[in-house]
Amino acid sequence: MTKQNTKILTYIILVMVFIFPSALVFGTWNAIYNHIFSVLVAFLYASNGKIEKRTLIFWGLTVIIAVYTRRYGFIDMIIIPILGDFVKNKAEVKKLILKSNTPYICIFFTIVYSILYTRLGIGSRGESGISGGLVYTGIGEVNLAGISLFGLALICYRKNRIIGYFVFLLGLLTTSRSYILAIFCVVIFNFYYVKYLVNKIIGKMTYLNLTVISSFCLFALGIVFISLYQSGDILAYNANQGIYRLFHLYDYSNYYRFLAIYLIVMIMFNNPKTLFLGFSNEEFSVYGKQITSDLLTDFGVGIGTHNLFFSHLKMYGLATFLEIFYVSKILKKVTNQNNFGIFIALFLYSIILGTGLSSFWLYFSAVILILYEE
């Protein structure tokens, strides 16, 4: 990828996260937005006139699988090998962000969409459509606004600390527990002795290794939340809204997401063929309702896992392991003790909300890590 195309891609990332009104055009949870980004990235990469052989093979296999399974979400995986080229031009990315006024334009559009979406009643928290916080980007979902503002605050902080602090405070209006946790990670991992400890173990703390460890923990939490539901200890939605949700973990939001993780594992255990190429939402609903019926628990409306690994495992099957391996290999090149707290915050977003390290969010995260690498 040329330096010029790298700059164009950086602008596209910021436009898609903050400026384009995707909630108005496509709705809040429409996969076509991810597909558009994948096509744009592939076009920019191919416009160089030279496509690496391994990238071409990867693309070919991806298209074949997508056509065979008729699940065209596989197409989004074509951006993964291109990330390496994007990271190679990190000097251009950093120079553009630090010199451009685009981040300030992003703040303006965030304020505009926050007012507009609140008045129109568009914003929500998650796929359940429950009312969210007070701040939104063009995407129109409050948890995604949280990771967006977390990244924007870090970007602005490198340019102007006062504006950076303002964006950090603006992000608090999302009332997102994940946002609070992300800030906590940045603060904690910025202490000298923590940095010293991180420097000793950072070689082992890769995206791949952390994904493996967290997946076992999340499956265990799925069992715990099923037990809590059976004992009647899950807090109702209407008792856990606004700022109160920051202080409660045993709610239906967490119950459904951990239940989904448990169900995905059990579906693949009971139907091994689903492990190879994943399974559809319809199959998840059919198999999931059977399992929850046997457990005497509530399947609900089939809310997703909010976890990147298990969401992709459900959609892509074994190809997910290749994705995690490749992304981990690339992110390792731009992660060190200086930005490890940011990396952990972004990783937590991926395991708690299922975002941050896929589609344009993956490239957005790469931009943030690049800014704080030194």
Side-chain angles (χ1 to χ4, degrees):
M1 182 174 290
T2 64
K3 292 181 179 180
Q4 183 61 30
N5 283 350
T6 299
K7 292 179 180 179
I8 294 173
L9 180 52
T10 304
Y11 281 122
I12 289 174
I13 294 164
L14 295 177
V15 168
M16 295 195 74
V17 174
F18 296 100
I19 299 176
F20 185 79
S22 62
L24 291 174
V25 179
F26 303 114
T28 305
W29 293 98
N30 195 326
I32 193 172
Y33 202 44
N34 295 334
H35 303 339
I36 290 173
F37 178 75
S38 299
V39 171
L40 289 173
V41 173
F43 176 78
L44 282 174
Y45 178 76
S47 66
N48 297 336
K50 181 181 179 181
I51 303 177
E52 291 187 11
K53 185 176 180 179
R54 61 181 180 181
T55 300
L56 193 59
I57 293 173
F58 187 92
W59 284 6
L61 290 174
T62 300
V63 172
I64 291 172
I65 294 173
V67 173
Y68 175 76
T69 61
R70 296 183 181 180
R71 290 201 293 273
Y72 297 100
F74 272 101
I75 299 298
D76 291 336
M77 297 189 75
I78 64 176
I79 68 171
I80 295 174
I82 305 173
L83 179 64
D85 276 53
F86 182 75
V87 168
K88 286 179 182 178
N89 291 326
K90 58 185 178 182
E92 293 299 320
V93 174
K94 188 173 183 179
K95 184 168 64 174
L96 183 148
I97 292 292
L98 295 179
K99 290 186 176 181
S100 172
N101 288 323
T102 305
Y104 301 143
I105 297 174
C106 293
I107 297 174
F108 169 77
F109 273 94
T110 297
I111 295 172
V112 170
Y113 287 130
S114 298
I115 297 171
L116 178 63
Y117 287 1
T118 300
R119 291 181 66 87
L120 295 178
I122 291 179
S124 66
R125 185 180 299 281
E127 297 168 275
S128 59
I130 297 170
S131 60
L134 300 173
V135 181
Y136 302 96
T137 64
I139 296 174
E141 200 280 332
V142 71
N143 287 316
L144 297 181
I147 186 173
S148 303
L149 290 174
F150 173 70
L152 184 58
L154 289 169
I155 290 171
C156 291
Y157 186 80
R158 286 300 303 267
K159 296 168 65 67
N160 184 301
R161 290 196 172 190
I162 294 176
I163 296 178
Y165 284 127
F166 167 74
V167 180
F168 273 122
L169 292 174
L170 191 64
L172 293 175
L173 297 179
T174 61
T175 65
S176 168
R177 291 173 291 201
S178 299
Y179 181 80
I180 300 296
L181 184 59
I183 294 176
F184 178 77
C185 287
V186 173
V187 173
I188 290 298
F189 283 95
N190 202 40
F191 289 131
Y192 172 80
Y193 289 108
V194 177
K195 278 188 174 183
Y196 177 79
L197 177 62
V198 166
N199 194 42
K200 298 291 184 181
I201 62 174
I202 195 169
K204 301 294 183 182
M205 303 291 281
T206 63
Y207 176 42
L208 174 63
N209 292 343
L210 291 173
T211 297
V212 172
I213 295 170
S214 65
S215 297
F216 282 104
C217 294
L218 292 171
F219 178 72
L221 282 172
I223 298 174
V224 170
F225 270 83
I226 289 172
S227 177
L228 288 170
Y229 177 89
Q230 292 171 334
S231 61
D233 292 324
I234 301 295
L235 190 66
Y237 273 128
N238 58 8
N240 196 33
Q241 292 299 302
I243 194 171
Y244 297 104
R245 71 185 310 278
L246 297 176
F247 307 103
H248 298 284
L249 295 177
Y250 300 149
D251 57 17
Y252 274 94
S253 173
N254 285 329
Y255 162 71
Y256 284 124
R257 70 181 64 178
F258 290 124
L259 172 67
I261 290 172
Y262 175 84
L263 292 177
I264 288 172
V265 174
M266 296 310 299
I267 289 171
M268 289 186 165
F269 180 79
N270 295 331
N271 304 274
K273 66 178 183 179
T274 60
L275 178 61
F276 293 98
L277 295 173
F279 49 91
S280 65
N281 289 332
E282 290 75 18
E283 291 173 309
F284 174 71
S285 180
V286 172
Y287 293 138
K289 287 178 180 178
Q290 291 175 351
I291 295 172
T292 52
S293 176
D294 293 338
L295 292 172
L296 300 179
T297 55
D298 180 33
F299 179 76
V301 295
I303 293 177
T305 65
H306 291 208
N307 175 272
L308 185 63
F309 172 72
F310 284 105
S311 294
H312 283 200
L313 186 63
K314 169 179 164 288
M315 290 189 293
Y316 307 136
L318 288 176
T320 305
F321 294 96
L322 176 62
E323 174 195 17
I324 298 297
F325 173 80
Y326 204 100
V327 171
S328 179
K329 185 178 179 181
I330 297 172
L331 292 182
K332 188 176 181 180
K333 297 177 181 179
V334 291
T335 305
N336 56 33
Q337 64 175 356
N338 296 323
N339 59 13
F340 189 73
I342 297 172
F343 167 72
I344 291 297
L346 296 170
F347 173 74
L348 290 176
Y349 264 110
S350 78
I351 67 171
I352 296 174
L353 292 176
T355 190
L357 294 173
S358 65
S359 190
F360 52 87
W361 297 107
L362 173 60
Y363 281 72
F364 181 57
S365 295
V367 169
I368 301 167
L369 291 172
I370 287 170
L371 280 180
Y372 284 84
E373 186 182 7
E374 298 177 357

